[in-house]
Amino acid sequence: MLQQIAFGSLLMVASVVMSGMTFWALELVLARATPWLVQPPHRLKLFMVVIATSLAVMAMVTVSVWLWAVVLHLMGIFKGFEQAMYFTLVTFTTLGYGDVLMPDQWRIMGGLAAVNGLVVFGLTTALMVEALRHVRIRQIEFLKE
């Protein structure tokens, strides 16, 4: 049990660190692009921010899912990589189909993967809201000047 908690905790920390780095990188890009983003036309630029943020969010989720799937596969928990990837995707999104299950001796890791998915999706929501809020506030401030 302690081994599962240790492995799962390390994977969650790695996933959150990678998500944080993505958040930081997007923030740097937005900070540098702010002078351009505040200039009219605003709607097109907001659309572009949504696209860029969505791509960053997809990268965050993809990297986290790949991390878990690779580790689960390398640990020999699943027969093949596709099974490890499928289990991770279903668990991260909390769909929980139940057609692919963790072996009993590793099932705590499945719960930790689900928790990690919830955290990553929470971070992605925060990232999208913060990016749009940042740009829109700067655009409104620009119009007031």
Side-chain angles (χ1 to χ4, degrees):
M1 178 177 83
L2 292 177
Q3 184 181 22
Q4 293 179 69
I5 294 170
F7 279 137
S9 296
L10 285 174
L11 288 171
M12 288 187 347
V13 167
S15 174
V16 169
V17 166
M18 288 186 292
S19 296
M21 289 170 36
T22 304
F23 204 121
W24 180 51
L26 187 64
E27 183 183 22
L28 288 173
V29 168
L30 288 175
R32 288 187 179 173
T34 295
W36 177 75
L37 289 169
V38 299
Q39 302 289 325
H42 290 155
R43 287 191 177 103
L44 176 61
K45 291 175 183 173
L46 280 175
F47 174 73
M48 293 171 73
V49 169
V50 168
I51 298 298
T53 306
S54 297
L55 291 172
V57 161
M58 285 190 284
M60 283 171 55
V61 173
T62 300
V63 168
S64 293
V65 168
W66 271 88
L67 172 69
W68 275 84
V70 166
V71 170
L72 293 177
H73 177 67
L74 292 176
M75 291 174 70
I77 294 174
F78 293 103
K79 292 177 186 172
F81 181 71
E82 181 185 5
Q83 208 174 21
M85 177 63 78
Y86 176 78
F87 174 82
T88 304
L89 281 168
V90 168
T91 303
F92 252 59
T93 58
T94 66
L95 286 171
Y97 289 137
D99 53 344
V100 175
L101 300 172
M102 292 283 262
D104 286 347
Q105 68 269 26
W106 291 105
R107 63 183 169 195
I108 291 174
M109 290 252 317
L112 293 172
V115 169
N116 194 175
L118 290 171
V119 169
V120 168
F121 282 108
L123 287 171
T124 62
T125 302
L127 177 64
M128 294 193 78
V129 169
E130 179 60 21
L132 289 171
R133 186 188 71 78
H134 168 83
V135 172
R136 193 63 189 134
I137 286 172
R138 300 305 179 279
Q139 287 177 342
I140 291 168
E141 288 172 351
F142 178 79
L143 290 174
K144 288 181 179 179
E145 292 177 359

